[in-house]
Amino acid sequence: MKFRRKNKFVAEVATSSLNDIMFFLLLFFLIISTVANPNVIKLMLPKASSSQQLSKKQVTLSVDAEKRYFIDKTPVSPENLEMELQAVMKDVAEPTIVVRVDKTLAVQDLVDILQTGAKLNIRMVMATSK
């Protein structure tokens, strides 16, 4: 008498846990990407009730609490600010600069920066936090 097995062994790869792993990896990278901030210069920006988004190439002028000037993370002396802005904006059709000024600075410091932009015919937009 010959007995045959009705169930033959079939090799399978269990992939049910891969969905969970991929979900957690996706979640991890989404959280990390929102935490990463490209602006290294830490400033406490003033608050505003409304905001406006820019869609052009952004050039950022930052001034920290110690009155150090930065154009896109590059330190600039206050005496050479006008020349540096002119050099950065020479090939741009509609020059626009996002101004990030620490909220502890005097209003006169902001006015001096805006006067420099007006002299060079550069549109200045002030960054604020919500």
Side-chain angles (χ1 to χ4, degrees), residues 10-71:
V10 178
E12 290 184 8
V13 177
T15 59
S16 60
S17 64
L18 290 179
N19 291 334
D20 294 337
I21 294 170
M22 292 304 292
F23 175 73
F24 283 121
L25 284 174
L26 178 67
L27 185 66
F28 173 75
F29 286 120
L30 284 174
I31 291 172
I32 293 300
S33 67
T34 58
V35 171
N37 189 358
N39 295 325
V40 178
I41 303 165
K42 299 290 182 188
L43 296 175
M44 292 178 10
L45 296 175
K47 298 196 182 299
S49 60
S50 65
S51 64
Q52 179 183 17
Q53 298 290 329
L54 293 177
S55 61
K56 303 173 189 171
K57 176 191 166 205
Q58 290 186 0
V59 175
T60 305
L61 172 63
S62 303
V63 184
D64 62 3
E66 288 83 29
K67 293 186 182 179
R68 293 181 297 201
Y69 291 79
F70 300 92
I71 296 178

Side-chain angles (χ1 to χ4, degrees), residues 49-122:
S49 60
S50 65
S51 64
Q52 179 183 17
Q53 298 290 329
L54 293 177
S55 61
K56 303 173 189 171
K57 176 191 166 205
Q58 290 186 0
V59 175
T60 305
L61 172 63
S62 303
V63 184
D64 62 3
E66 288 83 29
K67 293 186 182 179
R68 293 181 297 201
Y69 291 79
F70 300 92
I71 296 178
D72 288 335
K73 302 178 195 172
T74 307
V76 177
S77 67
E79 298 82 26
N80 295 333
L81 180 64
E82 185 175 339
M83 292 179 1
E84 292 289 332
L85 288 177
Q86 195 170 18
V88 168
M89 292 294 170
K90 68 179 177 181
D91 295 331
V92 180
E94 294 180 25
T96 303
I97 294 180
V98 177
V99 180
R100 300 177 70 232
V101 180
D102 194 276
K103 70 178 183 180
T104 60
L105 291 180
V107 175
Q108 185 61 44
D109 298 322
L110 177 61
V111 170
D112 293 340
I113 293 170
L114 296 177
Q115 282 180 344
T116 304
K119 185 195 250 184
L120 298 173
N121 292 328
I122 297 174

